[in-house]
Amino acid sequence: MIRLRENTDLREMTTFGLPAMCGRLVEFSDPVNDLPELDRRGLLDRAVLLGGGSNMLFTAPAPALTVIHPANDSITVDKTPDGQAIVTADAAVVLDGLCHTASQLGLWGLENLSGIPGHIGGAAVQNVGAYGVELADLVDSVTCYSRKNHRFVTYSKEDCQYGYRDSIFKHQEPDELLVVCRVTLRLQATPRLRLGYKGLYDTLCERYSLDRGNPQQYNITELLKAGISPLSVRESVMSLRDSKLPAPSETGSAGSFFKNPVVAAETLEAIISRWKEKSGPAAPPLPYHMLPGGTAKLSAAWLIDKAGCKPFTEGGAALWQTQPLVIVNLSGEATGADVVRLEKAVISQVESVFGVTLTPEVIHI
Ligand code: EPU
């Protein structure tokens, strides 16, 4: 079914909760019939896709804009004889709901991604990640409708060309418009623990009253004996998120606003010497994490904090104090323009202190 509305405010359809006027909102629930029809009627031309609205910033009213919103939300689960489960979720399935369903079924894979706002369609475009897992680790295929070729196309995981918060869907030609219709994931019925993120293993050991033991090793056998399950990992992840991130029901945000910068080894050295020079010998060491291929990932939250941006505000927009990577609609009355001003102020301050240019993760419309 197709539903069309003119001059609509999308505020309630985004997690930021900022005013977001668009010329036309087109919702569809039956991709097989609806997308070819929308295509024939020219409604996919120069349109923008809006899923759960958790990673989008409408910077100004857009009276000429058409926004396409998938509303198809069925899930199927097929267990395979070799202990895997093929989970197929329509684009508008709520990611956290899917994490909950899979965890309740005892399926491993999605539990570390618990609590991330948004729909599975957007998550597959964005390659969302948290606590040592990226959605790409679980994707089997993504089915889209191509406006350019006027047909449905299934992309294998390799075709999706996943990277850090990146995929082929983020590099489309302007006339292409790939509308994600459904995402197929491969989950595991046998335990597959991902405890590498600092803090998650500790939280689980505490939960099961286990000795953390050798910090270099995870005592998985003991955790399994104690009854660790996808649901208990999910609960531990949620409590970690609650301690750092704003509650989506109370404070509007788009999660991490900036990406963690990835720099070349020589650049890293230059950044470290600049920081030491500026801040003196007693300064905390700059944290980084080496990636395969010799590049280093820096912590944007740390850079923003140490550059002194935490108190910055613009209109109703502010930084979340326990995780300054997140820009929040603190007053509930912020505008897209406030957020853009704050974004620019943070980028410029981090640039002047560290010589590093932050790039936003959030898509600007
Ligand atoms: N930190 C500070 N000051 C602060 C807060 C944090 O310096 O006030 C530093 C600390 O050193 C901390 C570090 O920031 O150890 C990293 O913080 P965190 O562990 O929260 O992880 P992150 O790299 O900042 C990423 C994702 C989050 C995800 C977390 C947990 C990106 C852009 N963000 O944040 O994803 O939840 O890891 O896995 O990669 C999202 O994308 O919306 C999102 C929230």
Side-chain angles (χ1 to χ4, degrees), residues 70-309:
N72 52 322
D73 62 357
S74 301
I75 302 173
T76 60
V77 179
D78 292 305
K79 291 204 176 168
T80 65
D82 61 350
Q84 297 198 6
I86 305 297
V87 175
T88 301
D90 284 348
V93 166
V94 173
L95 176 61
D96 188 53
L98 187 62
C99 295
H100 183 64
T101 304
S103 299
Q104 270 193 324
L105 291 172
L107 297 174
W108 294 86
L110 280 167
E111 58 284 356
N112 292 37
L113 302 181
S114 294
I116 297 182
H119 295 174
I120 187 75
V125 169
Q126 169 74 357
N127 188 17
V128 299
Y131 305 104
V133 173
E134 288 186 340
L135 193 76
D137 303 337
L138 311 166
V139 167
D140 185 68
S141 65
V142 178
T143 300
C144 304
Y145 181 80
S146 161
R147 192 211 70 94
K148 191 174 166 194
N149 300 313
H150 313 290
R151 62 184 174 88
F152 291 89
V153 191
T154 295
Y155 288 75
S156 70
K157 175 186 181 149
E158 289 67 36
D159 296 337
C160 295
Q161 296 179 24
Y162 281 120
Y164 169 57
R165 299 291 193 278
D166 198 22
S167 73
I168 196 164
F169 309 112
K170 292 183 87 172
H171 303 276
Q172 297 178 34
E173 289 163 32
D175 66 337
E176 200 163 6
L177 194 76
L178 290 168
V179 183
V180 174
C181 299
R182 63 170 189 272
V183 179
T184 301
L185 304 175
R186 200 172 277 272
L187 305 183
Q188 308 294 329
T190 47
R192 195 68 61 93
L193 278 80
R194 305 291 290 270
L195 304 174
Y197 181 88
K198 193 176 157 302
L200 181 55
Y201 178 67
D202 296 347
T203 310
L204 282 158
C205 285
E206 211 171 288
R207 182 187 175 113
Y208 289 110
S209 311
L210 293 176
D211 185 4
R212 199 207 181 296
N214 179 351
Q216 304 304 319
Q217 271 175 4
Y218 300 123
N219 202 339
I220 291 177
T221 321
E222 288 301 314
L223 279 171
L224 289 172
K225 266 200 240 158
I228 190 173
S229 66
L231 265 183
S232 67
V233 176
R234 170 175 164 80
E235 282 161 16
S236 300
V237 164
M238 301 284 256
S239 73
L240 274 175
R241 289 184 75 89
D242 287 349
S243 67
K244 279 194 182 176
L245 297 166
S249 56
E250 282 162 29
T251 311
S253 86
S256 296
F257 193 92
F258 299 100
K259 289 189 198 176
N260 285 326
V262 176
V263 298
E266 312 83 75
T267 318
L268 175 67
E269 272 177 44
I271 296 167
I272 292 176
S273 357
R274 181 178 172 139
W275 169 240
K276 280 188 183 156
E277 226 170 80
K278 266 200 173 226
S279 53
L286 185 133
Y288 62 89
H289 165 73
M290 290 312 290
L291 300 175
T295 53
K297 197 192 251 187
L298 311 181
S299 161
W302 189 93
L303 297 172
I304 293 169
D305 183 359
K306 299 300 176 285
C309 303

